[in-house]
Amino acid sequence: MTAVTPFSGLTSNALAHIRNDWLIWEDDFIKIRVPPEASCNSFRCGASGRPKAPAILLEREKPCARCRKEGETNEFENKWLGGKKEGGAPNEWYETIIHQELAGPAADFFNMVFNVYGRPEIGLAPSSISKAAHSVGKKHVDKNEEPYTKLIRTGAVLYAHYGLSANDIAELTPFSPRSVRRIVYKTPEVSLNQKDSLTVLKAISDREPVTVEDLSNEIEVKKAGTHHRLRRLKQEGRVTVSNNHSGRPAATWKTTENWAAKFSCDKCEFKTHSLCGIRTHREQAHD
């Protein structure tokens, strides 16, 4: 669970109550839509009796302590860290995305729980997840900061290390781009100094056809982050891919004829060479 927490960005309350019908399974990612209110777990975890075996699900006779404490019913109101994401209503559901490649440990966990073992829900108590986070980070966490909150925030730093921009990270987690920047700036070893889109496209053009591995070495961005960028550029019609399959030969990428053109806003005359920039403009000016 401590491996899932940073990548999912979910509060301990949401993570403990998560159930299979909150998940949308896609080829590249698992989307988790957390409702504004959800009933308490129907089950609780019991001792398995076998080493490394999943905990047995037992019928829960009463709501968990968190639900009993915070609500008059058996439901909890699920507010993201007590606030809201930019542009969202306070009680709106929020989404988080577990990317199959970028967040492998978290994706494997959800696949094991809900597909391999077919469990309807995780069935844990929020307090048990918080205790796990505390045991992992008690030697490294500021005494004035909640250990679980600290663990959640490491996810944004991990994604930045992969080479993703603040906007990319905000799309994968409940954090806003502004919050992502604040988190990353507190980690001197990691930065959001990204290679701009034109630099990446020129590197592809100069070496095409190029593999993800060769391109990541050239632009000095992790392979997972490079792959994420290539998919974005492909969606914008700036690159194409061949041999896009698992195994050898590795997939190779080429630029299209208009690779050097500026990205244009479809609602006004704004143009920029930065893919991140055009997406930020669309969000701020038109969304």
Side-chain angles (χ1 to χ4, degrees):
M1 297 302 292
T2 53
V4 173
T5 298
F7 290 112
S8 70
L10 295 172
T11 62
S12 60
N13 202 15
L15 193 53
H17 289 86
I18 198 169
R19 59 203 62 202
N20 196 17
D21 57 14
W22 294 6
L23 277 61
I24 301 171
W25 300 84
E26 302 287 351
D27 292 337
D28 294 332
F29 60 86
I30 305 167
K31 181 183 291 185
I32 305 173
R33 177 169 289 191
V34 185
E37 291 183 353
S39 58
C40 189
N41 288 327
S42 301
F43 302 93
R44 61 184 178 85
C45 289
S48 67
R50 293 184 294 123
K52 298 184 179 180
I56 298 171
L57 288 182
L58 303 174
E59 292 284 346
R60 188 185 287 278
E61 297 178 356
K62 55 185 178 180
C64 70
R66 179 76 65 89
C67 288
R68 294 201 306 273
K69 179 180 179 181
E70 297 185 357
E72 297 179 357
T73 67
N74 295 354
E75 295 184 347
F76 71 91
E77 186 175 13
N78 196 6
K79 295 181 179 179
W80 165 240
L81 295 182
K84 63 180 180 179
K85 196 170 181 178
E86 288 181 351
N91 295 331
E92 232 175 23
W93 51 259
Y94 65 84
E95 286 184 352
T96 187
I97 293 175
I98 304 299
H99 197 283
Q100 300 276 21
E101 183 177 3
L102 299 180
D108 291 343
F109 173 82
F110 284 118
N111 182 62
M112 178 187 70
V113 171
F114 295 111
N115 292 334
V116 176
Y117 293 110
R119 294 158 78 96
E121 58 190 29
I122 288 180
L124 290 175
S127 59
S128 65
I129 298 176
S130 296
K131 287 178 181 178
H134 183 77
S135 65
V136 170
K138 61 183 178 181
K139 295 182 179 179
H140 310 286
V141 176
D142 190 317
K143 292 182 179 179
N144 297 321
E145 188 162 20
E146 168 63 37
Y148 190 81
T149 301
K150 184 81 170 181
L151 189 58
I152 287 179
R153 291 175 179 172
T154 62
V157 178
L158 286 169
Y159 284 127
H161 180 65
Y162 285 151
L164 273 64
S165 68
N167 280 356
D168 290 332
I169 297 169
E171 288 187 4
L172 297 174
T173 68
F175 290 113
S176 67
R178 183 180 181 183
S179 295
V180 170
R181 294 187 184 97
R182 287 179 175 176
I183 294 167
V184 174
Y185 288 161
K186 292 183 179 181
T187 311
E189 294 81 3
V190 181
S191 73
L192 288 167
N193 294 326
Q194 306 296 314
K195 297 289 191 296
D196 62 77
S197 302
L198 187 60
T199 299
V200 175
L201 286 165
K202 189 176 186 306
I204 299 170
S205 178
D206 290 344
R207 294 161 183 80
E208 60 188 21
V210 64
T211 65
V212 172
E213 183 174 4
D214 290 341
L215 182 60
S216 66
N217 290 334
E218 176 61 28
I219 64 176
E220 298 180 342
V221 173
K222 296 286 185 178
K223 285 177 63 176
T226 301
H227 202 182
H228 183 80
R229 283 199 166 206
L230 287 169
R231 282 194 295 270
R232 290 288 189 193
L233 292 171
K234 184 175 181 290
Q235 291 174 357
E236 296 287 337
R238 301 307 175 91
V239 296
T240 60
V241 60
S242 301
N243 301 330
N244 191 19
H245 55 71
S246 301
R248 298 180 180 276
T252 55
W253 297 78
K254 289 184 177 181
T255 54
T256 57
E257 291 184 0
N258 67 330
W259 69 267
K262 290 184 177 181
F263 298 100
S264 302
C265 177
D266 55 0
K267 296 183 179 180
C268 67
E269 298 181 354
F270 180 80
K271 295 182 179 181
T272 176
H273 278 299
S274 169
L275 179 55
C276 180
I278 195 67
R279 289 167 53 209
T280 299
H281 165 78
R282 289 168 181 166
E283 293 170 0
Q284 295 179 350
H286 303 295
D287 290 351

